Each structure stands twice: as C-alpha cells, then as structure tokens.
Amino acid sequence: MKNKLIVVTGGAGFIGSHIAETLARDNDVVVIDNLYSGRIENVPENVKFINADVRDFEAIADVIREADYVFHEAAQISVDESVRNPVFTEEVNVIGTVNILMALAEGNGKLIFASSAAVYGDNPNLPLKESETPSPISPYGVTKLAGEHYCRVFYEIYGVPTVVLRYFNVYGPRQSSAYAGVISIFMRNAIKNKPLTIFGDGKQTRDFIYVKDVVEANLLVAKKKKAEGEVFNVATGKETTVLELALKIIDLSGASSSIVFAPPRPGDIRRSVADISKLRKLGFSPKYTLEEGLKETFGWF
Ligand code: UD2
C-alpha cells in the first residue's frame, strides 16, 4: 500500500498506533482518537492527529469520506468496564462504528474492523472457526458482534467494502497499564521481581499473538479484494497455558519472581485457541513465536 489516505481510529492506542506507524512509512495517515484510553505519545510523529470522538459524526465524517482505508481500532476495550457501564460501551463501540460506516457510505474507502474473540463467548469447539455461532458472554462481546453485523449489512446494502478481524489475545509494546492483558501485567511485575499472580490453577489457555503480526494481518486483508464481506480470526493457532506463560516470562526476564495462585476470575474463559486456516489461505503466516514476541516486548519496557 502506497500513497493512500489512511485513517486509523484509536491510533493513539495500543494496536492502532502500531498500524499507524507501519502505514505512515508510505502513506498519508490520519489518526482519530479522543485520548480516552490512548496516549498522545503513541501517535507517530509523521501522522496528522485529530482529537475527536467516534460518537461525534460531524467531527469525523469529512476525513473518512476522503479516506482510501479506515482501520477502526477505537473502542471501549475493557470487558470489566463493559459490565459496569454497558450503555457507554454500546455508544462508543456500536454508534461509533455505525458513524464510520455512514461516512464511508458517502465515500469510497474500505473498512477494516477490529472485532474480538469475545464474540465467541465460552465455546468448547476448539480450535475456534469463524463459522461457529457467536455467543458473547459480556456486553463488550455483544457490541463487537453488533459491529460485525453492521459491517456485513453496510457491505450488502450500501456496498461499503468491509473486513472483520477477530483479534485473540494481542500483546506487545504500548499495551497500556490500565487495560493491560496478562502479558504486560506479568512483565511489569517480573521487571520489579514482584510475584506473578495467576487467577485459578493456571491451566486456562489463550492464543497469544504479537502486535506486529496483527498489523500484518490488517495490511493483508486491506489489500485483498476477496477478503471483503468476510470475517477472519487473527491469532497464531497455538494454545499456551497461563502457567507456561508465567514461567516463560520469569525465565526470559531472569527475575526472581515467585508465582502466586489466587481465586479464578469470575467469568474467565477456560480455553481459547483459534483455527487460522481461513486467514492462512489468504497468505497470512504469523512471524513471531511467543518467545520472540515476548523478547521484543521486554525490550520496550
Ligand atoms: C481477552 C481480551 C479481551 C476480550 C476477551 C474475550 C486482552 C488483553 N483482553 O481477555 O479484550 O477480547 O479476551 O474473551 O487481550 N490472568 C492471570 N493473572 C493476571 C491477569 C490475567 O492469571 O494478573 C489470567 C486471566 O485470568 C485469564 C488470562 O490470564 O485467564 C488472560 O487474561 P487477559 O485479561 O489478558 O485476557 P482475556 O483472555 O481475559
């Protein structure tokens, strides 16, 4: 992709800032972010920054109408917050997405929508295929599923090219401390030789994917015509237990941290791993092993 006008919503956040940084090498990139959970320091220097909320159609529509591609990463991303505040989560995640689709219906751009493995809920049919019936178990998951349906409907009714990406557990530099996933929490503690707390027995599993591989998945689906109207898992297809993860992080950091077990987190999913054959068929292959991704992430701390 070269010399295109690209909008990254949530471009001051964790995943969005990596997409913006990579694309800004050869394109004009505009970041839209209200800095609710994003940070201005994350916005790359050579991009234009618009401090706006995706709920505010007038504030975001002009640039989106002009865009060739919109990577929609802006969201209320906390599952816990969505349980406490489902209306706010609905407004940001659903109205925000519909606003972007409405603006795109008046333009020519393509939307790549950041969805989540949360749409699957606690589904035992592993590895999870895109064809599984979604059944979210949190308001957050419900809003992401609604966003997916809006993408499909706008593709079918208004011809807006859309692609849905279901991210699994993404990790890497710039994952914020407030909304951190288990990897950044463990790393922050390991660096200080503090204990790592595992909720439950540590045998629960996740499919961890390094943020740079997530960027590659975004670029790939943006380029491929046949990805339009489709949904793809973005993951590695590898299942890692939280206990294995804790041991790897202690080993890589050389920390003297101990592992402490605490009661399981309510609503925690037991096992999660994706079938990524659909994205592989499009040409995707994750480049980073968990060790490589963890090493790079440590380098950032
Ligand atoms: C991930 C996503 C979330 C949503 C959800 C859908 C991240 C950061 N979050 O939540 O946005 O899409 O999937 O299912 O990717 N744990 C510990 N100790 C800690 C912190 C966590 O043991 O200090 C455990 C936790 O109980 C869970 C696992 O680590 O079993 C992963 O937790 P997480 O919060 O990183 O991510 P997850 O899968 O709950």
Side-chain angles (χ1 to χ4, degrees), residues 120-183:
Y120 291 113
D122 205 357
N123 183 332
N125 299 333
L126 304 174
L128 290 162
K129 275 189 150 70
E130 293 85 348
S131 53
E132 285 295 318
T133 305
S135 184
I137 55 170
S138 66
Y140 170 79
V142 172
T143 65
K144 285 293 174 184
L145 183 57
E148 292 193 2
H149 284 308
Y150 274 113
C151 286
R152 181 178 49 77
V153 165
F154 270 69
Y155 174 67
E156 283 165 8
I157 297 181
Y158 297 101
V160 176
T162 60
V163 188
V164 169
L165 297 181
R166 289 181 181 159
Y167 297 161
F168 279 64
N169 288 63
V170 186
Y171 69 96
R174 299 188 211 127
Q175 198 161 24
S176 92
S177 45
Y179 300 93
V182 63
I183 289 184

Short mmCIF file of all heavy atoms in Angstrom, two decimals, residues 120-183:
data_model
loop_
_atom_site.label_atom_id
_atom_site.label_comp_id
_atom_site.label_asym_id
_atom_site.label_seq_id
_atom_site.Cartn_x
_atom_site.Cartn_y
_atom_site.Cartn_z
N TYR A 120 -17.12 -15.06 20.47
CA TYR A 120 -17.36 -16.50 20.58
C TYR A 120 -17.91 -16.90 21.95
O TYR A 120 -18.51 -17.98 22.08
CB TYR A 120 -16.06 -17.29 20.34
CG TYR A 120 -15.56 -17.23 18.93
CD1 TYR A 120 -14.37 -16.58 18.61
CD2 TYR A 120 -16.26 -17.84 17.89
CE1 TYR A 120 -13.90 -16.53 17.31
CE2 TYR A 120 -15.80 -17.79 16.58
CZ TYR A 120 -14.61 -17.14 16.30
OH TYR A 120 -14.16 -17.10 15.01
N GLY A 121 -17.65 -16.07 22.98
CA GLY A 121 -18.02 -16.46 24.34
C GLY A 121 -17.20 -17.66 24.79
O GLY A 121 -16.05 -17.81 24.36
N ASP A 122 -17.78 -18.50 25.63
CA ASP A 122 -17.03 -19.66 26.15
C ASP A 122 -17.42 -20.90 25.36
O ASP A 122 -18.16 -21.75 25.83
CB ASP A 122 -17.33 -19.83 27.65
CG ASP A 122 -16.19 -20.56 28.35
OD1 ASP A 122 -15.23 -20.97 27.67
OD2 ASP A 122 -16.27 -20.70 29.57
N ASN A 123 -16.92 -20.99 24.15
CA ASN A 123 -17.30 -22.05 23.22
C ASN A 123 -16.28 -23.18 23.29
O ASN A 123 -15.09 -22.95 23.07
CB ASN A 123 -17.36 -21.44 21.80
CG ASN A 123 -17.82 -22.43 20.76
OD1 ASN A 123 -17.62 -23.63 20.89
ND2 ASN A 123 -18.42 -21.92 19.71
N PRO A 124 -16.71 -24.43 23.59
CA PRO A 124 -15.75 -25.54 23.73
C PRO A 124 -15.29 -26.16 22.41
O PRO A 124 -14.43 -27.04 22.43
CB PRO A 124 -16.53 -26.55 24.57
CG PRO A 124 -17.96 -26.30 24.25
CD PRO A 124 -18.09 -24.85 23.86
N ASN A 125 -15.85 -25.74 21.29
CA ASN A 125 -15.49 -26.36 20.00
C ASN A 125 -14.17 -25.81 19.46
O ASN A 125 -14.15 -24.98 18.56
CB ASN A 125 -16.59 -26.13 18.95
CG ASN A 125 -17.90 -26.74 19.37
OD1 ASN A 125 -17.92 -27.71 20.13
ND2 ASN A 125 -18.99 -26.17 18.90
N LEU A 126 -13.08 -26.28 20.05
CA LEU A 126 -11.77 -25.73 19.70
C LEU A 126 -11.06 -26.56 18.65
O LEU A 126 -11.30 -27.76 18.59
CB LEU A 126 -10.91 -25.66 20.97
CG LEU A 126 -11.53 -24.86 22.12
CD1 LEU A 126 -10.67 -24.97 23.37
CD2 LEU A 126 -11.71 -23.40 21.74
N PRO A 127 -10.17 -25.99 17.86
CA PRO A 127 -9.91 -24.57 17.73
C PRO A 127 -11.10 -23.84 17.09
O PRO A 127 -11.78 -24.42 16.24
CB PRO A 127 -8.68 -24.51 16.82
CG PRO A 127 -8.72 -25.77 16.02
CD PRO A 127 -9.36 -26.80 16.89
N LEU A 128 -11.31 -22.59 17.49
CA LEU A 128 -12.49 -21.85 17.05
C LEU A 128 -12.39 -21.45 15.59
O LEU A 128 -11.42 -20.83 15.16
CB LEU A 128 -12.64 -20.60 17.92
CG LEU A 128 -13.04 -20.89 19.37
CD1 LEU A 128 -12.75 -19.67 20.24
CD2 LEU A 128 -14.50 -21.29 19.46
N LYS A 129 -13.43 -21.80 14.86
CA LYS A 129 -13.52 -21.41 13.45
C LYS A 129 -14.49 -20.23 13.34
O LYS A 129 -15.42 -20.12 14.14
CB LYS A 129 -14.13 -22.56 12.64
CG LYS A 129 -13.16 -23.61 12.18
CD LYS A 129 -13.93 -24.53 11.20
CE LYS A 129 -13.06 -25.14 10.15
NZ LYS A 129 -12.14 -26.12 10.55
N GLU A 130 -14.31 -19.44 12.31
CA GLU A 130 -15.18 -18.28 12.09
C GLU A 130 -16.64 -18.70 11.91
O GLU A 130 -17.55 -17.91 12.16
CB GLU A 130 -14.71 -17.49 10.86
CG GLU A 130 -13.36 -16.81 11.00
CD GLU A 130 -12.18 -17.71 10.68
OE1 GLU A 130 -12.36 -18.95 10.56
OE2 GLU A 130 -11.05 -17.18 10.56
N SER A 131 -16.85 -19.94 11.48
CA SER A 131 -18.21 -20.41 11.21
C SER A 131 -18.98 -20.78 12.48
O SER A 131 -20.19 -21.05 12.42
CB SER A 131 -18.15 -21.61 10.27
OG SER A 131 -17.28 -22.58 10.82
N GLU A 132 -18.31 -20.82 13.64
CA GLU A 132 -19.03 -21.10 14.89
C GLU A 132 -20.09 -20.03 15.14
O GLU A 132 -19.87 -18.85 14.81
CB GLU A 132 -18.05 -21.09 16.08
CG GLU A 132 -17.17 -22.32 16.17
CD GLU A 132 -17.96 -23.59 16.45
OE1 GLU A 132 -18.88 -23.55 17.27
OE2 GLU A 132 -17.66 -24.61 15.81
N THR A 133 -21.19 -20.43 15.76
CA THR A 133 -22.23 -19.45 16.08
C THR A 133 -21.73 -18.56 17.23
O THR A 133 -21.40 -19.08 18.30
CB THR A 133 -23.53 -20.16 16.52
OG1 THR A 133 -23.89 -21.05 15.49
CG2 THR A 133 -24.64 -19.16 16.79
N PRO A 134 -21.67 -17.25 17.02
CA PRO A 134 -21.19 -16.39 18.10
C PRO A 134 -22.16 -16.39 19.28
O PRO A 134 -23.36 -16.51 19.08
CB PRO A 134 -21.15 -14.99 17.46
CG PRO A 134 -21.31 -15.20 16.01
CD PRO A 134 -22.02 -16.50 15.82
N SER A 135 -21.61 -16.29 20.48
CA SER A 135 -22.45 -16.25 21.67
C SER A 135 -21.70 -15.51 22.79
O SER A 135 -21.23 -16.12 23.74
CB SER A 135 -22.80 -17.69 22.09
OG SER A 135 -23.66 -17.66 23.17
N PRO A 136 -21.58 -14.19 22.64
CA PRO A 136 -20.77 -13.44 23.61
C PRO A 136 -21.32 -13.55 25.03
O PRO A 136 -22.52 -13.74 25.21
CB PRO A 136 -20.86 -12.00 23.11
CG PRO A 136 -21.93 -11.95 22.07
CD PRO A 136 -22.15 -13.34 21.59
N ILE A 137 -20.42 -13.44 26.00
CA ILE A 137 -20.84 -13.52 27.41
C ILE A 137 -20.56 -12.21 28.15
O ILE A 137 -20.60 -12.17 29.38
CB ILE A 137 -20.17 -14.72 28.13
CG1 ILE A 137 -18.65 -14.66 28.00
CG2 ILE A 137 -20.70 -16.04 27.60
CD1 ILE A 137 -17.92 -15.66 28.88
N SER A 138 -20.26 -11.15 27.43
CA SER A 138 -20.08 -9.84 28.08
C SER A 138 -20.71 -8.77 27.18
O SER A 138 -20.80 -8.97 25.95
CB SER A 138 -18.59 -9.52 28.26
OG SER A 138 -17.98 -9.35 26.99
N PRO A 139 -21.10 -7.64 27.78
CA PRO A 139 -21.60 -6.54 26.92
C PRO A 139 -20.55 -6.15 25.87
O PRO A 139 -20.91 -5.84 24.73
CB PRO A 139 -21.85 -5.41 27.92
CG PRO A 139 -22.14 -6.11 29.21
CD PRO A 139 -21.25 -7.33 29.20
N TYR A 140 -19.28 -6.19 26.25
CA TYR A 140 -18.22 -5.88 25.29
C TYR A 140 -18.34 -6.78 24.05
O TYR A 140 -18.33 -6.30 22.91
CB TYR A 140 -16.85 -6.07 25.96
CG TYR A 140 -15.69 -6.01 25.02
CD1 TYR A 140 -15.20 -4.79 24.57
CD2 TYR A 140 -15.07 -7.18 24.56
CE1 TYR A 140 -14.13 -4.73 23.69
CE2 TYR A 140 -14.00 -7.13 23.69
CZ TYR A 140 -13.53 -5.91 23.25
OH TYR A 140 -12.49 -5.87 22.38
N GLY A 141 -18.49 -8.08 24.28
CA GLY A 141 -18.62 -9.03 23.17
C GLY A 141 -19.86 -8.76 22.33
O GLY A 141 -19.83 -8.90 21.11
N VAL A 142 -20.94 -8.39 23.01
CA VAL A 142 -22.18 -8.07 22.28
C VAL A 142 -21.95 -6.88 21.35
O VAL A 142 -22.37 -6.89 20.18
CB VAL A 142 -23.34 -7.77 23.27
CG1 VAL A 142 -24.57 -7.25 22.52
CG2 VAL A 142 -23.69 -9.00 24.08
N THR A 143 -21.24 -5.86 21.84
CA THR A 143 -21.03 -4.67 20.99
C THR A 143 -20.13 -5.00 19.80
O THR A 143 -20.32 -4.47 18.71
CB THR A 143 -20.41 -3.49 21.78
OG1 THR A 143 -19.09 -3.83 22.22
CG2 THR A 143 -21.28 -3.07 22.94
N LYS A 144 -19.14 -5.86 20.01
CA LYS A 144 -18.26 -6.22 18.89
C LYS A 144 -19.03 -7.04 17.85
O LYS A 144 -18.85 -6.86 16.65
CB LYS A 144 -17.03 -6.99 19.41
CG LYS A 144 -16.01 -6.09 20.10
CD LYS A 144 -15.37 -5.13 19.10
CE LYS A 144 -14.46 -4.12 19.74
NZ LYS A 144 -13.94 -3.14 18.76
N LEU A 145 -19.91 -7.92 18.34
CA LEU A 145 -20.72 -8.70 17.40
C LEU A 145 -21.68 -7.79 16.63
O LEU A 145 -21.87 -7.95 15.42
CB LEU A 145 -21.49 -9.79 18.17
CG LEU A 145 -22.32 -10.74 17.31
CD1 LEU A 145 -21.47 -11.45 16.26
CD2 LEU A 145 -23.02 -11.78 18.20
N ALA A 146 -22.26 -6.80 17.32
CA ALA A 146 -23.13 -5.85 16.63
C ALA A 146 -22.34 -5.11 15.55
O ALA A 146 -22.82 -4.95 14.42
CB ALA A 146 -23.72 -4.86 17.64
N GLY A 147 -21.12 -4.70 15.89
CA GLY A 147 -20.26 -4.03 14.91
C GLY A 147 -20.02 -4.91 13.69
O GLY A 147 -20.06 -4.44 12.54
N GLU A 148 -19.79 -6.19 13.92
CA GLU A 148 -19.58 -7.13 12.81
C GLU A 148 -20.81 -7.18 11.90
O GLU A 148 -20.69 -7.16 10.67
CB GLU A 148 -19.33 -8.55 13.34
CG GLU A 148 -18.02 -8.73 14.08
CD GLU A 148 -17.70 -10.20 14.29
OE1 GLU A 148 -18.48 -11.07 13.84
OE2 GLU A 148 -16.65 -10.48 14.91
N HIS A 149 -21.99 -7.27 12.53
CA HIS A 149 -23.22 -7.33 11.72
C HIS A 149 -23.40 -6.05 10.92
O HIS A 149 -23.81 -6.09 9.75
CB HIS A 149 -24.43 -7.57 12.62
CG HIS A 149 -24.55 -8.99 13.10
ND1 HIS A 149 -24.52 -10.07 12.24
CD2 HIS A 149 -24.68 -9.51 14.34
CE1 HIS A 149 -24.65 -11.19 12.93
NE2 HIS A 149 -24.74 -10.88 14.22
N TYR A 150 -23.11 -4.90 11.55
CA TYR A 150 -23.23 -3.63 10.80
C TYR A 150 -22.27 -3.62 9.61
O TYR A 150 -22.63 -3.14 8.53
CB TYR A 150 -22.96 -2.44 11.72
CG TYR A 150 -24.21 -1.99 12.45
CD1 TYR A 150 -24.32 -2.12 13.83
CD2 TYR A 150 -25.28 -1.44 11.75
CE1 TYR A 150 -25.46 -1.73 14.50
CE2 TYR A 150 -26.43 -1.04 12.42
CZ TYR A 150 -26.53 -1.18 13.79
OH TYR A 150 -27.67 -0.79 14.44
N CYS A 151 -21.08 -4.16 9.79
CA CYS A 151 -20.13 -4.21 8.66
C CYS A 151 -20.71 -5.02 7.51
O CYS A 151 -20.67 -4.60 6.35
CB CYS A 151 -18.81 -4.84 9.12
SG CYS A 151 -17.83 -3.74 10.15
N ARG A 152 -21.26 -6.17 7.84
CA ARG A 152 -21.83 -7.04 6.80
C ARG A 152 -23.01 -6.35 6.12
O ARG A 152 -23.14 -6.36 4.89
CB ARG A 152 -22.26 -8.37 7.42
CG ARG A 152 -22.85 -9.36 6.43
CD ARG A 152 -23.20 -10.68 7.10
NE ARG A 152 -23.97 -10.51 8.33
CZ ARG A 152 -25.28 -10.23 8.36
NH1 ARG A 152 -25.96 -10.11 7.24
NH2 ARG A 152 -25.91 -10.09 9.52
N VAL A 153 -23.89 -5.73 6.93
CA VAL A 153 -25.09 -5.11 6.38
C VAL A 153 -24.74 -3.91 5.50
O VAL A 153 -25.31 -3.73 4.42
CB VAL A 153 -26.04 -4.73 7.54
CG1 VAL A 153 -27.12 -3.78 7.08
CG2 VAL A 153 -26.65 -6.00 8.14
N PHE A 154 -23.76 -3.12 5.92
CA PHE A 154 -23.36 -1.97 5.09
C PHE A 154 -22.65 -2.44 3.82
O PHE A 154 -22.74 -1.79 2.78
CB PHE A 154 -22.46 -1.00 5.88
CG PHE A 154 -23.25 0.07 6.60
CD1 PHE A 154 -24.05 -0.26 7.68
CD2 PHE A 154 -23.22 1.38 6.18
CE1 PHE A 154 -24.80 0.71 8.34
CE2 PHE A 154 -23.96 2.36 6.82
CZ PHE A 154 -24.76 2.03 7.91
N TYR A 155 -21.98 -3.56 3.90
CA TYR A 155 -21.36 -4.15 2.70
C TYR A 155 -22.45 -4.57 1.73
O TYR A 155 -22.38 -4.29 0.52
CB TYR A 155 -20.50 -5.34 3.13
CG TYR A 155 -19.90 -6.12 1.98
CD1 TYR A 155 -18.94 -5.56 1.15
CD2 TYR A 155 -20.30 -7.44 1.74
CE1 TYR A 155 -18.39 -6.27 0.11
CE2 TYR A 155 -19.75 -8.17 0.70
CZ TYR A 155 -18.80 -7.59 -0.12
OH TYR A 155 -18.26 -8.31 -1.14
N GLU A 156 -23.48 -5.23 2.27
CA GLU A 156 -24.53 -5.76 1.39
C GLU A 156 -25.48 -4.66 0.88
O GLU A 156 -25.85 -4.67 -0.28
CB GLU A 156 -25.31 -6.86 2.13
CG GLU A 156 -24.51 -8.15 2.16
CD GLU A 156 -25.03 -9.18 3.17
OE1 GLU A 156 -26.10 -8.96 3.75
OE2 GLU A 156 -24.32 -10.19 3.36
N ILE A 157 -25.85 -3.73 1.74
CA ILE A 157 -26.86 -2.73 1.34
C ILE A 157 -26.23 -1.54 0.62
O ILE A 157 -26.73 -1.09 -0.40
CB ILE A 157 -27.65 -2.23 2.57
CG1 ILE A 157 -28.43 -3.38 3.18
CG2 ILE A 157 -28.62 -1.09 2.16
CD1 ILE A 157 -29.26 -2.98 4.39
N TYR A 158 -25.12 -1.01 1.19
CA TYR A 158 -24.53 0.21 0.62
C TYR A 158 -23.27 -0.08 -0.19
O TYR A 158 -22.65 0.85 -0.71
CB TYR A 158 -24.17 1.20 1.73
CG TYR A 158 -25.37 1.69 2.52
CD1 TYR A 158 -25.65 1.16 3.77
CD2 TYR A 158 -26.19 2.71 2.03
CE1 TYR A 158 -26.73 1.62 4.52
CE2 TYR A 158 -27.27 3.17 2.77
CZ TYR A 158 -27.54 2.62 4.01
OH TYR A 158 -28.59 3.07 4.74
N GLY A 159 -22.84 -1.32 -0.23
CA GLY A 159 -21.63 -1.66 -0.98
C GLY A 159 -20.35 -1.14 -0.35
O GLY A 159 -19.33 -1.00 -1.04
N VAL A 160 -20.38 -0.85 0.96
CA VAL A 160 -19.14 -0.42 1.62
C VAL A 160 -18.26 -1.66 1.81
O VAL A 160 -18.68 -2.62 2.45
CB VAL A 160 -19.42 0.21 3.01
CG1 VAL A 160 -18.11 0.56 3.72
CG2 VAL A 160 -20.32 1.44 2.89
N PRO A 161 -17.04 -1.65 1.23
CA PRO A 161 -16.19 -2.82 1.44
C PRO A 161 -15.73 -2.89 2.90
O PRO A 161 -15.16 -1.93 3.42
CB PRO A 161 -14.98 -2.59 0.52
CG PRO A 161 -15.15 -1.24 -0.09
CD PRO A 161 -16.40 -0.60 0.43
N THR A 162 -16.04 -3.99 3.56
CA THR A 162 -15.66 -4.14 4.97
C THR A 162 -15.00 -5.49 5.19
O THR A 162 -15.34 -6.48 4.51
CB THR A 162 -16.90 -4.06 5.89
OG1 THR A 162 -17.81 -5.10 5.53
CG2 THR A 162 -17.61 -2.71 5.79
N VAL A 163 -14.07 -5.52 6.12
CA VAL A 163 -13.46 -6.79 6.55
C VAL A 163 -13.46 -6.79 8.07
O VAL A 163 -13.10 -5.79 8.69
CB VAL A 163 -12.00 -6.94 6.06
CG1 VAL A 163 -11.48 -8.34 6.36
CG2 VAL A 163 -11.87 -6.62 4.58
N VAL A 164 -13.85 -7.92 8.65
CA VAL A 164 -13.88 -8.05 10.12
C VAL A 164 -12.72 -8.92 10.57
O VAL A 164 -12.53 -10.02 10.05
CB VAL A 164 -15.22 -8.67 10.56
CG1 VAL A 164 -15.17 -9.06 12.04
CG2 VAL A 164 -16.38 -7.73 10.28
N LEU A 165 -11.97 -8.42 11.54
CA LEU A 165 -10.87 -9.20 12.12
C LEU A 165 -11.17 -9.50 13.58
O LEU A 165 -11.37 -8.57 14.38
CB LEU A 165 -9.55 -8.42 12.03
CG LEU A 165 -9.07 -8.11 10.62
CD1 LEU A 165 -7.74 -7.35 10.67
CD2 LEU A 165 -8.91 -9.39 9.79
N ARG A 166 -11.21 -10.76 13.91
CA ARG A 166 -11.44 -11.15 15.31
C ARG A 166 -10.09 -11.39 15.99
O ARG A 166 -9.48 -12.45 15.84
CB ARG A 166 -12.28 -12.43 15.38
CG ARG A 166 -13.72 -12.20 14.99
CD ARG A 166 -14.54 -13.48 15.08
NE ARG A 166 -15.91 -13.19 14.67
CZ ARG A 166 -16.77 -14.11 14.26
NH1 ARG A 166 -16.41 -15.39 14.22
NH2 ARG A 166 -18.00 -13.76 13.91
N TYR A 167 -9.65 -10.38 16.73
CA TYR A 167 -8.37 -10.49 17.42
C TYR A 167 -8.50 -11.44 18.61
O TYR A 167 -9.45 -11.34 19.39
CB TYR A 167 -7.94 -9.12 17.98
CG TYR A 167 -7.68 -8.03 16.97
CD1 TYR A 167 -7.70 -6.70 17.40
CD2 TYR A 167 -7.40 -8.27 15.64
CE1 TYR A 167 -7.45 -5.65 16.52
CE2 TYR A 167 -7.16 -7.23 14.75
CZ TYR A 167 -7.19 -5.93 15.20
OH TYR A 167 -6.95 -4.89 14.33
N PHE A 168 -7.51 -12.29 18.78
CA PHE A 168 -7.42 -13.09 20.01
C PHE A 168 -6.59 -12.28 21.02
O PHE A 168 -6.75 -11.07 21.09
CB PHE A 168 -6.91 -14.51 19.70
CG PHE A 168 -8.04 -15.38 19.19
CD1 PHE A 168 -8.68 -15.09 17.99
CD2 PHE A 168 -8.54 -16.43 19.94
CE1 PHE A 168 -9.78 -15.83 17.55
CE2 PHE A 168 -9.63 -17.18 19.51
CZ PHE A 168 -10.25 -16.88 18.31
N ASN A 169 -5.70 -12.90 21.80
CA ASN A 169 -5.01 -12.14 22.86
C ASN A 169 -3.77 -11.45 22.30
O ASN A 169 -2.72 -12.09 22.13
CB ASN A 169 -4.66 -13.05 24.03
CG ASN A 169 -5.91 -13.46 24.81
OD1 ASN A 169 -6.80 -14.11 24.28
ND2 ASN A 169 -5.99 -13.02 26.05
N VAL A 170 -3.89 -10.19 22.02
CA VAL A 170 -2.81 -9.42 21.40
C VAL A 170 -1.91 -8.86 22.50
O VAL A 170 -2.40 -8.39 23.53
CB VAL A 170 -3.37 -8.26 20.56
CG1 VAL A 170 -2.25 -7.55 19.80
CG2 VAL A 170 -4.46 -8.76 19.59
N TYR A 171 -0.60 -8.89 22.27
CA TYR A 171 0.34 -8.34 23.26
C TYR A 171 1.47 -7.64 22.52
O TYR A 171 1.67 -7.84 21.32
CB TYR A 171 0.90 -9.44 24.18
CG TYR A 171 1.84 -10.39 23.46
CD1 TYR A 171 3.23 -10.22 23.50
CD2 TYR A 171 1.34 -11.42 22.68
CE1 TYR A 171 4.08 -11.06 22.81
CE2 TYR A 171 2.18 -12.27 21.98
CZ TYR A 171 3.55 -12.08 22.05
OH TYR A 171 4.40 -12.91 21.35
N GLY A 172 2.19 -6.82 23.27
CA GLY A 172 3.35 -6.14 22.68
C GLY A 172 3.56 -4.79 23.31
O GLY A 172 2.84 -4.39 24.23
N PRO A 173 4.56 -4.03 22.79
CA PRO A 173 4.85 -2.70 23.31
C PRO A 173 3.61 -1.80 23.26
O PRO A 173 2.80 -1.92 22.34
CB PRO A 173 5.93 -2.17 22.35
CG PRO A 173 6.57 -3.39 21.79
CD PRO A 173 5.49 -4.43 21.72
N ARG A 174 3.51 -0.91 24.23
CA ARG A 174 2.46 0.12 24.34
C ARG A 174 1.12 -0.39 24.82
O ARG A 174 0.15 0.34 24.80
CB ARG A 174 2.24 0.86 23.00
CG ARG A 174 3.44 1.58 22.52
CD ARG A 174 3.09 2.45 21.30
NE ARG A 174 4.24 2.52 20.45
CZ ARG A 174 4.23 2.24 19.15
NH1 ARG A 174 3.11 1.94 18.52
NH2 ARG A 174 5.34 2.32 18.46
N GLN A 175 1.04 -1.65 25.24
CA GLN A 175 -0.21 -2.10 25.84
C GLN A 175 -0.33 -1.36 27.17
O GLN A 175 0.58 -1.43 27.99
CB GLN A 175 -0.19 -3.62 26.05
CG GLN A 175 -1.56 -4.20 26.24
CD GLN A 175 -1.59 -5.70 26.00
OE1 GLN A 175 -0.57 -6.38 26.13
NE2 GLN A 175 -2.76 -6.22 25.67
N SER A 176 -1.42 -0.65 27.36
CA SER A 176 -1.47 0.31 28.47
C SER A 176 -1.59 -0.40 29.82
O SER A 176 -2.07 -1.52 29.91
CB SER A 176 -2.65 1.25 28.31
OG SER A 176 -3.77 0.74 28.98
N SER A 177 -1.15 0.28 30.86
CA SER A 177 -1.20 -0.36 32.16
C SER A 177 -2.64 -0.49 32.66
O SER A 177 -3.00 -1.46 33.32
CB SER A 177 -0.35 0.40 33.17
OG SER A 177 -0.59 1.76 33.04
N ALA A 178 -3.51 0.47 32.30
CA ALA A 178 -4.88 0.43 32.81
C ALA A 178 -5.68 -0.73 32.21
O ALA A 178 -6.51 -1.33 32.88
CB ALA A 178 -5.58 1.75 32.52
N TYR A 179 -5.44 -1.05 30.94
CA TYR A 179 -6.24 -2.08 30.27
C TYR A 179 -5.37 -3.28 29.89
O TYR A 179 -5.67 -3.98 28.94
CB TYR A 179 -6.90 -1.49 29.00
CG TYR A 179 -7.79 -0.34 29.33
CD1 TYR A 179 -7.33 0.96 29.29
CD2 TYR A 179 -9.11 -0.57 29.70
CE1 TYR A 179 -8.15 2.02 29.61
CE2 TYR A 179 -9.94 0.48 30.03
CZ TYR A 179 -9.46 1.77 29.98
OH TYR A 179 -10.27 2.81 30.31
N ALA A 180 -4.30 -3.46 30.67
CA ALA A 180 -3.29 -4.42 30.27
C ALA A 180 -3.82 -5.84 30.24
O ALA A 180 -4.66 -6.23 31.05
CB ALA A 180 -2.13 -4.33 31.23
N GLY A 181 -3.32 -6.61 29.33
CA GLY A 181 -3.55 -8.04 29.32
C GLY A 181 -2.55 -8.71 30.23
O GLY A 181 -1.63 -8.07 30.77
N VAL A 182 -2.71 -10.01 30.37
CA VAL A 182 -1.88 -10.77 31.31
C VAL A 182 -0.38 -10.62 31.02
O VAL A 182 0.43 -10.54 31.95
CB VAL A 182 -2.33 -12.26 31.35
CG1 VAL A 182 -2.13 -12.94 30.01
CG2 VAL A 182 -1.64 -13.00 32.46
N ILE A 183 0.00 -10.54 29.75
CA ILE A 183 1.43 -10.49 29.44
C ILE A 183 2.05 -9.20 29.96
O ILE A 183 3.11 -9.21 30.61
CB ILE A 183 1.68 -10.67 27.92
CG1 ILE A 183 1.37 -12.13 27.56
CG2 ILE A 183 3.11 -10.28 27.52
CD1 ILE A 183 1.64 -12.54 26.13
#
